[in-house]
Amino acid sequence: MEQKTTWKEKIGYGVGAVGLDLSYGLFYSFLSYYLSSVLGLKEAFLLLLTPIARIWDGINDPMMGTIVDNTKTKHGKYRPWIIIGAVCNAVVLFLLFTSFGMSGMKLYIYIGVMYILWGMTNTMADIPYWSMIPSFTSDPNDRNMVSTVARTFSGLGQGIITVLTPLILPMLSTGIKTDKGWSANGFSRWAGICAIALVMFSLICVLSTKERNISYNKTKFSFKKIFSVLKSNDQLVVFMIFAMLSNAGWYLTSGTAVYYFSDVLNNSKGQSLFQTIGAAGSVLGLLVIPILSKWLDKRRIYQISLSATILGYILMFVFGPVLKITIALDIAYIVSSTGIASMFVSQTVFLADIVDYGEYKNGERNESITFSMKGFLQKMAYTIQTIILFGGLGLVNYNEQITSATKQINETTKGAIGFIAFGAPAILVALSLIVFSTKFKLHGKLADEVHEFIVNKN
């Protein structure tokens, strides 16, 4: 008999995602601007730092997945790590956005260490959190709903960051400010508030949920094991490629929006309206899957989600950088954010299915190792974002312009920022759609066979 989760569990589990995405959103949406425009760090340093951090993540993420898979306590194997990871990530988040007045080489070294530590501590909480989904239930519809609720709350956490940060920073900022009214201590105070919320929401999640279908492993970490999982689970590799491309597209928009509204439009608070409208689209996106599921399978729904995202980006690029009709740009964001929200829910469901597929094909579940690939691909997507963003800004000498006496941004730089924010994402998501449509096979008859195998085994 397939067990189902209660709504109390679904909501409690979802609350945990709010805290995780406060940290996640502040890191991915505002850290770049904080480092380049507030602290004045060079683009070359950030271009070098991100790949180095990803090399370490390639070791750390699957290692953490193996540790979680081998964890066995009276409280389960996932929930203890969620709390440990949340507390550690909260401390590092605050330190990452607090420079303590440092400058020069000391500041570069300090930021480099904190940047890498943020990735490590985020992994400690993120992998066990999302790995819990298969342990709740094997029922596809219930698993769909758990993922939808979690992604809804995840979107809420992202929305809090993207909508409120431009409004709250001027209130918290004192001392030396940028021309937008933001200061280093404003970022530090806001990061501290988000850090406290991260711990509180993670605690609610742990106290509200119960692990059920738990599979304990006794394998030790080894690169051979990681490569074995990747080699034997072809659909996991395909997933990593198409998810990385689409995620990178969205990260470009979320990370470059602050530059677009602050430097191109000279209206930093306008980003709040943009993100509020996007949040409305996200709500619509979360409603799409339950509605479309009545008529379409997961594969068709995902293709529709990516197509809507591409259309939205094309409209945003036309109405924004080309025609410069800001209100039309904001409205177009509804289309792409609807597709993005639906896309993220589907990706979470796909990963849970891929765990089942791995057990069906190879006799081993490897839940946390599989879900560690989600965290790693997200960080790789951020790496793509960083290379495109800071590579582009470096080519047009952005740092020299914002540190000049006039602090004026020329038209070439404004055009580059507009393309990075809205043009490049459309290309990346289109490539993702092609890979998914041609290479992902976990649907139809194969998906039914996998589900039947898992149900009969349990």
Side-chain angles (χ1 to χ4, degrees):
M1 182 178 178
E2 298 183 20
Q3 294 177 311
K4 294 188 177 183
T5 56
T6 65
W7 272 102
K8 178 183 177 182
E9 286 182 285
K10 290 183 177 73
I11 299 299
Y13 178 67
V15 167
V18 177
L20 289 174
D21 274 84
L22 291 176
S23 174
Y24 187 81
L26 197 56
F27 183 92
Y28 285 106
S29 296
F30 289 94
L31 180 64
S32 295
Y33 190 84
Y34 168 72
L35 296 179
S36 64
S37 299
V38 178
L39 297 187
L41 302 187
K42 299 294 185 180
E43 295 96 341
F45 167 73
L46 300 173
L47 276 172
L48 179 63
L49 175 61
T50 305
I52 291 175
R54 295 301 81 81
I55 292 172
W56 171 241
D57 287 334
I59 301 172
N60 178 64
D61 286 15
M63 184 185 296
M64 189 65 216
T66 304
I67 292 172
V68 173
D69 267 339
N70 284 279
T71 298
K72 186 175 183 179
T73 73
K74 64 179 181 179
H75 300 295
K77 73 177 187 178
Y78 303 112
R79 293 181 296 165
W81 281 112
I82 292 175
I83 287 296
I84 294 171
V87 172
C88 292
N89 191 235
V91 172
V92 174
L93 178 70
F94 173 71
L95 293 176
L96 178 60
F97 282 91
T98 305
S99 62
F100 298 105
M102 286 185 282
S103 60
M105 185 58 66
K106 287 184 178 179
L107 178 60
Y108 280 95
I109 294 173
Y110 174 78
I111 291 298
V113 171
M114 288 302 122
Y115 186 99
I116 292 174
L117 284 178
W118 184 91
M120 293 176 62
T121 55
N122 175 258
T123 293
M124 290 172 65
D126 189 71
I127 288 177
Y129 178 82
W130 294 106
S131 297
M132 282 181 70
I133 292 177
S135 75
F136 288 143
T137 176
S138 58
D139 178 81
N141 293 326
D142 195 33
R143 188 178 282 181
N144 233 348
M145 186 55 67
V146 171
S147 299
T148 300
V149 171
R151 279 300 175 185
T152 301
F153 280 92
S154 174
L156 176 61
Q158 287 277 349
I160 291 172
I161 290 297
T162 55
V163 173
L164 295 186
T165 297
L167 301 177
I168 288 179
L169 277 178
M171 302 178 192
L172 299 177
S173 296
T174 57
I176 300 175
K177 302 179 182 180
T178 68
D179 57 340
K180 308 300 185 296
W182 299 356
S183 70
N185 62 16
F187 272 100
S188 176
R189 291 164 181 167
W190 182 223
I193 293 171
C194 293
I196 294 171
L198 165 58
V199 176
M200 291 176 56
F201 290 139
S202 296
L203 184 61
I204 292 172
C205 169
V206 167
L207 295 176
S208 303
T209 54
K210 181 180 180 181
E211 300 175 30
R212 295 188 180 87
N213 304 320
I214 309 175
S215 175
Y216 293 104
N217 293 333
K218 296 182 179 180
T219 57
K220 295 182 179 180
F221 171 79
S222 69
F223 286 110
K224 183 178 180 180
K225 179 65 176 178
I226 304 303
F227 290 128
S228 175
V229 171
L230 290 171
K231 182 179 179 181
S232 61
N233 197 327
D234 56 300
Q235 295 305 289
L236 175 58
V237 176
V238 173
F239 171 85
M240 289 179 64
I241 295 172
F242 73 71
M244 181 172 61
L245 288 169
S246 57
N247 288 12
W250 183 74
Y251 291 162
L252 271 176
T253 302
S254 61
T256 313
V258 61
Y259 292 91
Y260 186 78
F261 283 92
S262 297
D263 296 325
V264 177
L265 300 184
N266 198 30
N267 179 19
S268 57
K269 292 185 178 179
Q271 184 184 355
S272 294
L273 175 60
F274 176 75
Q275 297 293 359
T276 300
I277 292 175
S282 296
V283 173
L284 292 176
L286 295 168
L287 296 175
V288 163
I289 289 183
I291 295 173
L292 293 183
S293 294
K294 297 178 181 179
W295 301 284
L296 302 172
D297 61 20
K298 287 179 284 189
R299 182 172 187 267
R300 296 300 181 192
I301 293 173
Y302 193 68
Q303 290 173 326
I304 292 172
S305 300
L306 292 185
S307 298
T309 303
I310 295 168
L311 174 61
Y313 275 128
I314 293 173
L315 292 174
M316 284 194 291
F317 182 71
V318 171
F319 289 129
V322 177
L323 300 180
K324 297 180 174 56
I325 306 175
T326 305
I327 187 62
L329 165 70
D330 292 344
I331 295 173
Y333 192 35
I334 293 179
V335 180
S336 61
S337 59
T338 298
I340 288 292
S342 178
M343 178 193 79
F344 277 130
V345 174
S346 295
Q347 287 180 0
T348 304
V349 175
F350 285 147
L351 256 186
D353 291 344
I354 289 170
V355 170
D356 290 346
Y357 173 74
E359 184 175 13
Y360 163 81
K361 187 177 180 182
N362 308 306
E364 294 184 358
R365 287 190 66 78
N366 297 307
E367 291 165 330
S368 295
I369 290 180
T370 301
F371 272 86
S372 73
M373 295 298 105
K374 169 184 173 292
F376 182 63
L377 75 86
Q378 287 177 322
K379 292 170 184 175
M380 286 302 297
Y382 179 67
T383 301
I384 294 174
Q385 178 230 47
T386 302
I387 292 173
I388 296 175
L389 174 58
F390 288 115
L393 294 180
L395 287 173
V396 295
N397 298 316
Y398 171 83
N399 192 265
E400 293 181 10
Q401 294 172 56
I402 64 168
T403 56
S404 66
T406 60
K407 295 186 178 181
Q408 293 295 312
I409 305 297
N410 62 43
E411 291 303 315
T412 300
T413 301
K414 291 180 179 180
I417 291 173
F419 177 77
I420 293 171
F422 309 116
I427 297 173
L428 290 171
V429 178
L431 291 173
S432 175
L433 177 59
I434 293 171
V435 174
F436 172 78
S437 298
T438 57
K439 299 296 182 181
F440 194 66
K441 302 176 181 178
L442 199 49
H443 57 86
K445 182 179 179 181
L446 178 58
D448 292 338
E449 290 177 359
V450 172
H451 175 62
E452 184 177 355
F453 171 83
I454 296 299
V455 171
N456 291 336
K457 183 174 181 179
N458 293 334

